[in-house]
Amino acid sequence: MSLEELHSIFSVFALPIFDLSSNILRRTSRMADWTECMNYGIHIAREAREVILHAFRIKKAVMLKSSPADLVTETDQRVERMLISAIKAKYPHHKFIGEESVAAGEKLILTDSPTWIIDPIDGTANFVHRFPFVAISIAFAVNKQTEFGIVYSCIEDKLYSAQRGRGAFCNDIPLATSGQEDITKCLLVTEIGAERDQLALATMTSNIHRLLEIPVHGIRAVGTAAVDMCLISTGGADAYYHIGMHCWDIAASALIVSEAGGVVIDTNGSEFDMMARRVIAASSMSVARRIAQAIQAFPCERDDDPRAHPQKAQIEHSTDSGNDVHKKAGGHRRL
Ligand SMILES: O=P(O)(O)O[C@H]1[C@H](O)[C@@H](O)[C@H](O)[C@H](O)[C@@H]1O
Ligand SMILES: [Mg+2]
Ligand SMILES: [Mg+2]
């Protein structure tokens, strides 16, 4: 009987054993070595990359989610299905939070159980337009703490990985942030996101304006939050900030940045919370705090808020990227 099943039985009686079993789970996860799990995650990410590389080159059926800029394709759904079924086959008691499973109506609940947090294609708009920055992001959490993170930038063939307490790597080469402490010497990355309402757009553009006038050296947007953040871990950029992304976009890369010697905080300056949909990842705390001081956030429902992720109305939209964009019937999307 798994510890999670033990939890559910004894928690009903609220017996002292319940505390004992959760303490066992905590101690076990602290002692556990998740290397074998991470290596399996890397193995299936490599398999998923082959599917993405093939689909990258061909015409795609594009569907819309929360806005005309929030795209999804059959490949996103197929890759997520492939990853989750491969993991279930090896680790049947593990839990999952997947971007496209949540979009299809699954509840987003992070428990103490071993949980895989998956974005099958981070940078779907790039994928649709054949803009060559498309990543698979896989994080693994136990007791709500990320134990390892994998970000595979598929077209670049750069596999970023980190295990808690054991450093960060890109294609097995150790990573280190720039360590930059002077905001006026920083190159920033951010994302414009899929929000197209006036408040979000005004907030995003005023944040860019305020940061540029500090001044900073520049601001870039690669189109995938996961790769943006991995660039901080390489020292290729010095800080990333974003409001509105989801846990699956950044759970893996947040660990990769911190294991490369960077800092990851909330945009309000408090401790990072992967469900809050706000993040600053930086080469140093002084740069992170300076960005927190300069920017404002627009309101976002937490990822783990039960009211979040309602089935969004599907919007008709045409695109000039040579792909067919079509309306999805209402209700849950097939996965
Ligand atoms: O939907 P995918 O998985 O492509 O994730 C991207 C979001 O769609 C953007 O809004 C967001 O701004 C980031 O670009 C994020 O990577
Ligand atoms: Mg994403
Ligand atoms: Mg995605």
Side-chain angles (χ1 to χ4, degrees), residues 237-265:
D238 303 296
Y240 171 75
Y241 71 95
H242 193 174
I243 298 119
M245 77 288 153
H246 294 283
C247 58
W248 45 74
D249 293 316
I250 57 162
S253 47
L255 182 68
I256 292 167
V257 169
S258 52
E259 286 297 323
V263 297
V264 185
I265 62 171

Side-chain angles (χ1 to χ4, degrees), residues 132-162:
F133 295 93
V134 173
I136 300 164
S137 181
I138 300 172
F140 178 74
V142 181
N143 295 324
K144 301 187 180 71
Q145 183 167 51
T146 307
E147 290 294 340
F148 64 75
I150 301 162
V151 172
Y152 201 163
S153 181
C154 298
I155 315 303
E156 295 181 284
D157 193 12
K158 289 186 175 178
L159 194 142
Y160 297 91
S161 65

Side-chain angles (χ1 to χ4, degrees), residues 99 119-124 135 137 224-226 246 248-250:
E99 176 181 10
D119 187 341
I121 296 183
D122 191 46
T124 298
S137 181
T224 139
H246 294 283
W248 45 74
D249 293 316
I250 57 162

